[in-house]
Amino acid sequence: PAPRLAVIPTDYLGISIIGNGIYERREIELLKAIFQARNLQSTTFLDIGGNIGNHSISLAGSFAEVIAFEPNPPIASLFKTNLLLSGAGNVRLHEVGLGQEDAELRFSLLQAGNDGSGSFASGKGDVVLPVRQGDRYLAQHEPEIANGTKRIGFVKCDVEGFEADVFAGLRETFARHRPILTFESNHKPDGEKAWAELRTAGYDTLSCLRETGDDGSRLLQEMKRLVLGYSCWAEKIGSIPERRCNLIASFGPLEATA
């Protein structure tokens, strides 16, 4: 069953959850299969850009614990409400952003009607929020992660174009723990910068999360799904694609990719 989640009903994410129970349901099911194949149930999931908790709570049962980061106060408040509603006792939230240096940065909403789409990437906005260098912050606030007592098995990073900064601040953590990592590439140049940072940390395999009909128009997509059924899979790629894509970075090939 889908977790109980409070949403903003006029928001893109909220509308999706109302209609489907959880956001990106098929991708989450695919990720769960990958986690099971890699025996990650005793590891930690870092959710960077936790939003209202959709991924943290939906994937909480696949990990020993979930550590989430969400700096936007109204969205973080909804995240904490959803922790209470869902009863996910192994999830905790840090109300800061992560980056390559400690800073207080301007934060702006990128899309009207999508309250979770805020980002530090533009350097604009009326709100100033805290960003902390990732490796140092974990050493100070999550010492068992920093010293290797607990292992990070998976990282999700959805920070709307700020990914390269986040990854630069977590180079030591990534190199030490070697987690599977998912991130968005909405614009190819941003995606290329993010992938370059991950390669610096030792990542060598890049995959794109694909869905039936995602290579055509919306109408063609729906027609293909009616005829062929709906499926989701991870397709190994050699470089960042031109189109928007959710990506998976890994050390070596993925298992359970279909």
Side-chain angles (χ1 to χ4, degrees):
R4 296 179 65 198
L5 296 175
V7 302
I8 301 170
T10 56
D11 176 271
Y12 170 78
L13 179 66
I15 292 169
S16 178
I17 291 173
I18 291 169
N20 299 300
I22 59 175
Y23 179 59
E24 295 184 341
R25 174 185 292 275
R26 297 302 179 96
E27 290 189 6
I28 285 175
E29 290 174 355
L30 174 62
L31 289 171
K32 285 181 177 180
I34 294 172
F35 303 152
Q36 185 174 16
R38 291 209 170 193
N39 297 313
L40 298 182
Q41 61 270 17
S42 64
T43 67
T44 297
F45 162 30
L46 292 190
D47 188 359
I48 305 169
N51 206 292
I52 66 169
N54 179 81
H55 280 64
S56 286
I57 293 167
S58 298
L59 293 172
S62 297
F63 297 94
E65 63 178 356
V66 181
I67 302 171
F69 299 86
E70 176 51 60
N72 188 1
I75 300 300
S77 294
L78 200 49
F79 189 116
K80 289 183 285 188
T81 297
N82 285 330
L83 290 182
L84 294 173
L85 285 173
S86 66
N90 65 334
V91 181
R92 59 183 177 274
L93 175 66
H94 293 271
E95 295 183 55
V96 298
L98 296 184
Q100 60 181 322
E101 296 294 342
D102 291 354
E104 308 298 314
L105 298 181
R106 292 190 177 277
F107 184 87
S108 61
L109 291 178
L110 303 182
Q111 299 174 18
N114 187 357
D115 291 83
S117 68
S119 176
F120 297 105
S122 70
K124 302 176 182 178
D126 297 327
V127 180
V128 176
L129 297 176
V131 171
R132 298 294 177 259
Q133 203 271 353
D135 289 327
R136 287 198 299 267
Y137 188 87
L138 289 175
Q140 294 167 2
H141 298 276
E142 298 288 347
E144 290 181 303
I145 293 293
N147 66 27
T149 303
K150 295 180 179 179
R151 185 170 78 87
I152 301 169
F154 174 59
V155 176
K156 186 217 88 187
C157 185
D158 185 358
V159 291
E160 305 292 345
F162 201 61
E163 286 81 5
D165 289 77
V166 172
F167 298 160
L170 287 167
R171 286 177 188 168
E172 294 178 13
T173 299
F174 291 163
R176 183 184 306 117
H177 292 265
R178 298 165 62 91
I180 297 170
L181 186 149
T182 64
F183 67 103
E184 270 191 341
S185 175
N186 291 322
H187 303 285
K188 187 176 180 179
D190 291 339
E192 289 175 332
K193 290 178 183 177
W195 178 227
E197 282 294 341
L198 292 176
R199 291 200 306 273
T200 299
Y203 284 89
D204 57 16
T205 303
L206 186 66
S207 304
C208 179
L209 283 167
R210 297 289 310 278
E211 299 175 297
T212 304
D214 63 6
D215 54 352
S217 66
R218 184 73 184 198
L219 177 60
L220 185 59
Q221 181 184 75
E222 295 304 322
M223 290 176 63
K224 283 187 175 181
R225 290 177 180 179
L226 284 172
V227 174
L228 302 174
Y230 185 98
S231 61
C232 179
W233 68 98
E235 179 177 284
K236 185 178 178 181
I237 56 177
S239 60
I240 300 295
E242 294 286 347
R243 63 182 183 83
R244 179 198 173 279
C245 189
N246 287 341
L247 301 166
I248 306 179
S250 58
F251 293 80
L254 291 171
E255 296 89 354
T257 55

